[in-house]
């Protein structure tokens, strides 16, 4: 029974109340919170990973998933995973950058042109650089980043065909300094809101537009409150799977190996799910009434250069990180 001391008393008590016949609680009972609906591939693959971990650790490690902002918005969950209130969280790069600024580097506007560039950077030196920075904040970042996707712009007003169409547009962006800076540079009027507020703020017209990858627009049913989707591909965004540093260190090495393998493998499968969804989702969204257009990137890039966006963020991220990004995508600024 010595091992039970690692488990919070409340979770033992509630576990036993729920399953009075089962006398043994898991030795490590961990909570994982995220911001996405259960139908998103991130939740489907994470549940598979949790099942595999329970099986391969013979019940010693149990991960309970709290999807869809059940534990609060991203800002709350980031605080909880730091304090140990939850043990796992998958913040987008944009969101964890409020704590680890360099983590937003993959989200520099129009940096990546395709997934081969994305994964060579994030599975390579740039990803390692960001993971090390996350580690300094007493969070452990698993090796494989999970995919969110290339972010696209939706609006209830009009299609975005060039940078001019963003002028003054009230657009929701995540709680992310880089997103605010980018959309201000593009001439829009961005507002940071937690993802949990997006649907209702579009519905009540607090904002007219938002930007997210197509699979999210689909699973969060944003097509119900938006008319136009412009495939701007302006940011590539991914999720860092992070663990509270102390909770991670509590796991004996053999359990760490099992947990890391299950989570990293699930991440690779989740990337493949998103790749396939990207191909099928457009037809589905059109059938649901979204009008799709495909703007060229030139006017947006030109406007960002003019506004000093690249020069400013090169300075903020520093030459080392910027150089690693440019190794994958070519010269940016
Ligand atoms: O909040 C968003 O827009 C989302 C779901 O893409 C992130 O997690 C950044």
């Amino acid at each position: 029974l010595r091992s039970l001391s690692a488990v919070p008393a409340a979770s033992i008590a509630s576990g036993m109340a729920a399953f009075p016949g089962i006398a043994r609680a898991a030795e490590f009972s961990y909570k994982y919170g995220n911001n996405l609906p259960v139908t998103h591939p991130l939740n489907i693959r994470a549940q598979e990973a949790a099942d595999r971990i329970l099986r391969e650790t013979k019940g010693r490690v149990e991960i309970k998933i709290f999807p869809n902002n059940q534990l609060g918005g991203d800002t709350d969950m980031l605080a909880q995973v730091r304090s140990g209130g939850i043990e796992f969280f998958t913040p987008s790069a944009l969101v964890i950058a409020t704590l680890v600024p360099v983590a937003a580097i993959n989200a520099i506007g129009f940096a990546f042109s395709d997934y081969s560039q994305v994964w060579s950077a994030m599975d390579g030196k740039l990803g390692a650089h960001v993971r090390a920075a996350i580690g300094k904040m007493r969070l452990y970042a698993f090796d494989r980043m999970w995919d969110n996707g290339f972010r696209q712009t939706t609006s209830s007003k009009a299609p975005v065909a060039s940078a001019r169409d963003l002028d003054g547009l009230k657009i929701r962006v995540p709680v992310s300094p880089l997103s605010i800076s980018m959309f201000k540079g593009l001439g829009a009027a961005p507002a940071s809101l937690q993802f949990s507020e997006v649907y209702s703020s579009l519905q009540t017209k607090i904002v007219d537009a938002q930007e997210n990858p197509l699979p999210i627009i689909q699973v969060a049913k944003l097509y119900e409150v938006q008319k136009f989707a412009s495939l701007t591909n302006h940011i590539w965004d991914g999720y860092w799977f992070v663990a509270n540093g102390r909770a991670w260190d509590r796991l004996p090495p053999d359990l760490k190996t099992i947990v890391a393998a299950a989570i990293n493998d699930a991440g690779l499968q989740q990337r493949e799910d998103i790749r396939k969804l990207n191909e099928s989702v457009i037809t589905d969204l059109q059938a649901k009434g979204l009008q799709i257009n495909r703007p060229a990137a030139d006017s947006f890039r030109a406007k960002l250069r003019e506004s000093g966006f690249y020069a400013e963020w090169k300075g903020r991220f520093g030459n080392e990180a910027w150089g690693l990004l440019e190794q994958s995508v070519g010269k940016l600024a």
Side-chain angles (χ1 to χ4, degrees):
L1 269 179
R2 178 185 51 89
S3 57
L4 283 180
S5 62
V7 182
S11 87
I12 295 174
S14 69
M16 286 181 169
F19 306 102
I22 299 171
R24 232 161 35 115
E27 193 176 333
F28 301 94
S29 182
Y30 283 1
K31 295 195 186 88
Y32 160 42
N34 68 64
N35 64 359
L36 293 181
V38 282
T39 48
H40 190 278
L42 174 134
N43 272 310
I44 294 166
R45 295 300 183 181
Q47 186 57 59
E48 286 176 9
D51 294 344
R52 174 176 161 191
I53 289 164
L54 189 68
R55 202 170 58 241
E56 291 185 1
T57 64
K58 305 195 167 48
R60 293 176 70 196
V61 179
E62 173 192 47
I63 298 174
K64 288 204 192 106
I65 306 180
F66 296 84
N68 212 17
N69 296 298
Q70 277 173 23
L71 300 179
D74 279 328
T75 308
D76 307 304
M77 288 189 282
L78 189 57
Q80 289 167 31
V81 78
R82 291 204 72 207
S83 70
I86 61 177
E87 288 80 10
F88 298 103
F89 176 39
T90 38
S92 138
L94 291 167
V95 167
I96 199 172
T98 55
L99 180 68
V100 183
V102 75
I105 190 154
N106 60 263
I108 277 294
F110 303 96
F112 292 108
S113 42
D114 57 41
Y115 273 109
S116 71
Q117 285 186 349
V118 166
W119 300 129
S120 83
M122 303 323 291
D123 289 337
K125 288 184 193 159
L126 185 65
H129 183 83
V130 173
R131 277 199 304 283
I134 294 173
K136 292 202 174 107
M137 300 313 289
R138 296 157 149 279
L139 292 171
Y140 171 77
F142 290 90
D143 285 348
R144 302 295 183 177
M145 212 176 179
W146 294 40
D147 196 12
N148 189 357
F150 281 90
R151 299 182 77 89
Q152 318 296 358
T153 309
T154 69
S155 170
S156 59
K157 294 259 168 167
V160 174
S162 73
R164 187 176 306 174
D165 298 319
L166 289 171
D167 206 42
L169 184 68
K170 283 200 278 177
I171 183 168
R172 175 273 174 179
V173 298
V175 180
S176 148
L178 182 125
S179 302
I180 292 282
S181 156
M182 180 169 162
F183 278 90
K184 280 194 176 149
L186 287 167
S192 274
L193 293 169
Q194 308 272 340
F195 186 65
S196 46
E197 311 292 329
V198 170
Y199 186 99
S200 63
S201 64
L202 291 167
Q203 192 174 36
T204 58
K205 303 261 163 38
I206 290 172
V207 289
D208 297 313
Q210 69 84 44
E211 43 84 60
N212 251 300
L214 296 179
I216 289 195
I217 294 164
Q218 187 192 42
V219 297
K221 299 188 164 45
L222 300 183
Y223 52 81
E224 293 177 353
V225 286
Q226 295 281 267
K227 284 206 188 71
F228 304 96
S230 304
L231 307 189
T232 45
N233 289 303
H234 52 279
I235 281 175
W236 176 77
D237 187 18
Y239 287 103
W240 284 109
F241 213 115
V242 300
N244 171 275
R246 273 166 288 123
W248 180 246
D249 288 340
R250 265 201 308 278
L251 291 178
D254 57 324
L255 297 186
K256 274 187 179 159
T257 304
I258 292 173
V259 172
I263 288 178
N264 288 325
D265 288 352
L268 294 180
Q269 292 175 306
Q270 189 267 357
R271 293 178 186 181
E272 193 55 22
D273 296 339
I274 296 286
R275 193 186 64 72
K276 290 191 188 133
L277 258 187
N278 281 335
E279 287 167 11
S280 64
V281 77
I282 292 190
T283 331
D284 184 59
L285 289 172
Q286 278 173 323
K288 290 185 160 114
L290 265 195
Q291 200 172 303
I292 311 264
N293 71 302
R294 296 178 164 75
D298 320 16
S299 68
F300 304 102
R301 277 214 192 93
K303 182 105 197 220
L304 285 178
R305 284 218 176 87
E306 244 168 66
S307 75
F309 173 80
Y310 292 108
E312 179 190 341
W313 285 88
K314 181 179 180 179
R316 288 217 213 174
F317 289 133
N319 287 335
E320 189 187 353
W322 196 263
L324 292 174
L325 176 64
E326 286 190 334
Q327 272 178 29
S328 297
V329 304
K331 205 98 192 116
L332 277 170

